[in-house]
Amino acid sequence: MIYEAGKNFSSKDYKAHQIERGDYEECEFIGIDFSGYDLSDYKFSNCDFIDCDLSNSKLNNTAFRDVKFKNCKMIGLSFEDSHQFNISFQFEDCILNHSSFYQLDIRKTIFKNCSLSEADFTEANLSSSVFNNSSLLNAVFDRTILDNSDFRTAHHFSINPNQNQLKKAKFSRDNLAGLLHQLQIIID
């Protein structure tokens, strides 16, 4: 395995098959198509992914430590397969539809302007996370810890307060219907 630090990788210079399995620290990946790629056992620390496609990539034992994803397509990723020690990332303008965060402890995660349609957050700890202007259409929250999380600008979510932990979670008056959906009441 190789070690790279402070290096920039871009689609102009690299194809996904040319980026070797290894440990990447403070690196930047720009415009690279990793879709369907096997990223198992890669380690990313303090890295930025910008305009990349990671859809349907394998993440077995992949380490994400303080990783930022911006304007990335990340459909169908199983983040629960990744290395869970010190896992932390944030997402901005990303498409994470059909991705799974099952049982992950990802407190303080930021999702800004993201599409999380049918994402699975079952049994995850998302305490103090922020869903800023993100769509959660048909996302699954089941026995999820959402204490102190911010849903004030999130939309299209449905969270059952009886099946999830919501202590001091923040919602706006405009999106309270996402908490009351299970009651089958009509809100005008």
Side-chain angles (χ1 to χ4, degrees), residues 18-187:
Q18 294 174 312
I19 297 175
E20 296 180 56
R21 180 171 282 130
D23 192 347
Y24 295 87
E25 188 172 344
E26 296 181 2
C27 291
E28 192 171 68
F29 301 90
I30 303 170
I32 297 178
D33 185 358
F34 290 104
S35 60
Y37 198 66
D38 187 354
L39 293 171
S40 298
D41 298 312
Y42 281 66
K43 291 177 178 46
F44 301 104
S45 301
N46 297 305
C47 292
D48 293 336
F49 288 82
I50 302 166
D51 298 323
C52 292
D53 186 349
L54 293 97
S55 297
N56 299 310
S57 294
K58 292 181 184 174
L59 302 178
N60 296 322
N61 206 36
T62 306
F64 294 108
R65 296 184 179 104
D66 295 317
V67 175
K68 295 177 185 171
F69 296 96
K70 183 170 177 148
N71 200 38
C72 291
K73 186 176 178 185
M74 308 173 76
I75 297 172
L77 294 182
S78 295
F79 286 100
E80 73 268 13
D81 295 336
S82 60
H83 194 281
Q84 295 186 24
F85 178 74
N86 254 357
I87 188 170
S88 65
F89 33 57
Q90 65 182 45
F91 306 92
E92 182 177 348
D93 298 314
C94 292
I95 301 170
L96 290 145
N97 300 343
H98 305 282
S99 289
S100 178
F101 299 88
Y102 176 70
Q103 290 187 331
L104 287 181
D105 188 344
I106 49 172
R107 300 169 212 206
K108 299 182 181 178
T109 300
I110 296 172
F111 298 93
K112 182 177 180 184
N113 302 320
C114 292
S115 177
L116 293 148
S117 293
E118 299 187 37
D120 185 1
F121 295 104
T122 300
E123 296 180 17
N125 186 344
L126 288 157
S127 296
S128 300
S129 292
V130 177
F131 294 88
N132 187 5
N133 198 36
S134 292
S135 175
L136 294 154
L137 184 66
N138 296 321
V140 178
F141 294 94
D142 186 19
R143 298 177 308 269
T144 307
I145 301 170
L146 298 165
D147 294 341
N148 296 303
S149 289
D150 190 344
F151 289 91
R152 289 179 291 185
T153 60
H155 43 279
H156 303 120
F157 62 85
S158 179
I159 300 172
N160 187 334
N162 295 322
Q163 294 179 345
N164 296 282
Q165 196 170 314
L166 293 163
K167 191 175 189 177
K168 296 188 179 180
K170 298 169 193 76
F171 297 90
S172 72
R173 287 189 174 116
D174 295 335
N175 66 11
L176 283 178
L179 288 174
L180 303 172
H181 174 76
Q182 290 79 16
L183 299 175
Q184 298 182 3
I185 59 176
I186 299 168
I187 302 169

